[in-house]
Amino acid sequence: MPDRSDDPTAKLVDVNWDDPRLRGLLEATAQLHIEHRGDFAPRAALLRDADGDTAHHALLVAESDDGLRTLLSAAALERGATVLLDLGGERLELAAVDDCRHGLRHEDSARDVHIVVLRRLRTAAR
């Protein structure tokens, strides 16, 4: 471990950094990643079939600069399907379903939640 003499909290707990039990624990947790779920403000969206007949309420939970959108939806969508993503206002996007899977979190097991990843094909004005 690095020298922790500059850390004011290091003196609060007597830690033997060379203890094999601690080393084992640190090695076992080294692959864990911090989640970044709180970085995006979710907002309501509407998913429509390409023909516009069927609509499903969804929640947009992430979007990237490369045109990928991640939504939570009660509807399972087929990979490769073309949908219209209605974000309200003037934004209406034609998108392809890149992935759709059932939610894996513990709280998703009691609800019918699908994680839908869309790839923007084009944006259209209303």
Side-chain angles (χ1 to χ4, degrees):
M1 281 313 259
D3 178 24
R4 298 176 50 92
S5 59
D6 60 339
D7 182 356
T9 63
K11 295 174 184 65
L12 297 178
V13 177
D14 185 24
V15 176
N16 178 1
W17 294 103
D18 296 319
D19 185 327
R21 294 173 297 165
L22 181 58
R23 289 232 176 254
L25 178 63
L26 293 172
E27 289 172 8
T29 59
Q31 300 303 315
L32 297 177
H33 300 283
I34 296 173
E35 292 188 30
H36 299 284
R37 294 183 200 171
D39 294 347
F40 185 84
R43 59 185 204 230
L46 202 56
L47 290 171
R48 299 180 188 276
D49 291 344
D51 58 13
D53 289 342
T54 308
H56 307 282
H57 291 278
L59 186 65
L60 179 66
V61 294
E63 58 186 338
S64 64
D65 293 336
D66 60 356
L68 291 179
R69 309 276 188 262
T70 303
L71 298 100
L72 303 181
S73 173
L77 302 176
E78 188 175 326
R79 286 183 185 160
T82 303
V83 296
L84 293 171
L85 175 59
D86 186 347
L87 297 170
E90 299 297 317
R91 286 178 67 185
L92 188 63
E93 296 179 0
L94 184 64
V97 178
D98 271 4
D99 190 25
C100 182
R101 61 177 173 76
H102 195 273
L104 299 176
R105 291 187 194 166
H106 175 70
E107 61 266 26
D108 295 340
S109 63
R111 304 177 298 159
D112 196 20
V113 176
H114 293 85
I115 313 306
V116 180
V117 178
L118 301 178
R119 181 176 26 88
R120 182 178 56 228
L121 300 175
R122 70 171 182 250
T123 302
R126 288 187 169 237

